[in-house]
Amino acid sequence: MNTALARRPDLDASTVSRRGTRASIARDFGAAAASYDRAARLQRHMGQRLLGLLPADRADEVTDLGCGTGLFLEPLQRKLQPDGLNAIDLSPDMLDYARAHRAVSARWLAADAEAIPLADASQDVVFSNLMIQWCDDPETVLREAFRILRPGGWLVCSTLLDGTLRELDRAWQAVDPGQSHINEFESPATMHDALARVFGGGEVRQECIVLDYCHPADLLRELKDLGAHHKAPNRRRSLTGARRLKQLYHCYPRQDGGSVAASYEAGYLIARRPSGAAV
């Protein structure tokens, strides 16, 4: 089997990116495996949108890249009826949860999306819901998706874009000016340009999703339950005390009635590997 792992010997769990080490990302999401599904409001919404962007025809080989707890493995199996379904995630604990809770026949692979252990031109569809924003180099992931897709194969991928969690960011800036307290997200233009370089085209559709919370603490709890809290290696680690959090809650903008909102800038990437395109 011709795999990308052999092409990327630099990848290991200790490699530090602007979004943390691979080991810390896998650990955080693994620790959230049992709580993830009940907190996954955004993930369900965006995954359903992705399902609607899939080709109508069945597909022989399908990969869910960053499958997490496997929320969309069963829908993918029903919609595309593949002969082979690959469930890939960086976190072995997430894969264990998915294997135990999803009624699918899948090949379970603990692997990095920047080094996918699948053969060249072996997949008809790569589906990836809210994973690529955790990778240090989204273009490398897109190149890996291109590599494993057969000519004519489809990539449907969702991500979060710049402007996500802006209310939380502004509140933190009022409490701790100049310090980053949310994860870094790419701009729509960056993602569009990366698609164009890799696939020769493609589309980035955008949507602003606003979720309501009774209190800012509920937002922070949801992010933790998802394993999606701030992971940058240079993040400030001394601001989790009650006093700082109280300041954050005070600065967070309130809606009528005292509830709060969080904005998520969703990006849906759709691209097709051209027939006859070389790796």
Side-chain angles (χ1 to χ4, degrees):
M1 178 180 290
N2 185 10
T3 73
L5 287 177
R7 302 178 185 208
R8 296 295 308 280
D10 56 306
L11 291 179
D12 63 69
S14 64
T15 300
V16 178
S17 78
R18 54 196 168 132
R19 296 176 175 92
T21 67
R22 288 171 176 81
S24 67
I25 292 170
R27 181 186 64 245
D28 287 349
F29 281 105
S35 59
Y36 187 94
D37 286 0
R38 70 171 179 265
R41 294 188 293 163
L42 179 72
Q43 289 71 18
R44 285 188 170 88
H45 173 89
M46 293 182 65
Q48 288 295 332
R49 289 292 179 93
L50 275 190
L51 287 176
L53 297 174
L54 287 169
D57 298 335
R58 70 173 299 275
D60 291 334
E61 295 290 332
V62 174
T63 288
D64 186 346
L65 186 59
C67 68
T69 61
L71 278 174
F72 288 95
L73 290 173
E74 291 170 1
L76 284 169
Q77 191 170 64
R78 287 193 299 268
K79 183 176 179 71
L80 297 176
Q81 302 175 41
D83 295 326
L85 177 61
N86 296 298
I88 299 179
D89 201 86
L90 186 64
S91 168
D93 291 331
M94 280 287 197
L95 287 176
D96 288 345
Y97 186 96
R99 188 185 294 112
H101 290 84
R102 311 302 174 196
V104 295
S105 176
R107 183 184 182 198
W108 308 95
L109 297 169
D112 194 312
E114 295 184 36
I116 303 171
L118 295 175
D120 295 353
S122 63
Q123 302 300 299
D124 298 295
V125 171
V126 173
F127 174 98
S128 183
N129 185 38
L130 284 175
M131 178 280 301
I132 198 171
Q133 72 270 11
W134 297 110
C135 299
D136 192 45
D137 184 3
E139 186 167 331
T140 299
V141 180
L142 296 178
R143 291 191 182 282
E144 278 293 271
F146 182 95
R147 179 186 65 79
I148 67 173
L149 282 169
R150 293 168 175 157
W154 287 92
L155 167 72
V156 288
C157 171
S158 68
T159 189
L160 294 174
L161 301 169
D162 186 40
T164 290
L165 294 175
R166 54 183 171 267
E167 300 89 353
L168 180 60
D169 185 40
R170 289 168 187 162
W172 269 124
Q173 288 306 309
V175 173
D176 191 29
Q179 294 294 322
S180 175
H181 291 274
I182 67 167
N183 294 303
E184 183 179 344
F185 302 103
E186 306 290 351
S187 69
T190 296
M191 298 308 297
H192 185 274
D193 291 348
L195 268 185
R197 283 192 294 271
V198 175
F199 283 86
E203 183 180 1
V204 179
R205 301 184 187 180
Q206 294 177 241
E207 177 187 19
C208 182
I209 302 163
V210 180
L211 299 183
D212 292 328
Y213 301 85
C214 292
H215 190 274
D218 297 319
L219 167 59
L220 297 182
R221 186 177 304 110
E222 183 175 272
L223 293 174
K224 183 177 180 181
D225 286 347
L226 292 166
H229 46 286
H230 191 212
K231 301 183 189 302
N234 62 346
R235 68 189 183 278
R236 192 186 291 278
R237 300 170 186 269
S238 60
L239 288 176
T240 56
R243 183 176 67 85
R244 289 290 189 178
L245 288 176
K246 187 175 181 179
Q247 290 177 316
L248 176 71
Y249 300 157
H250 176 75
C251 293
Y252 203 104
R254 302 285 174 150
Q255 303 181 105
D256 292 342
S259 65
V260 301
S263 300
Y264 299 86
E265 295 296 333
Y268 304 95
L269 284 59
I270 310 104
R272 194 175 192 183
R273 177 170 172 171
S275 298
V279 177

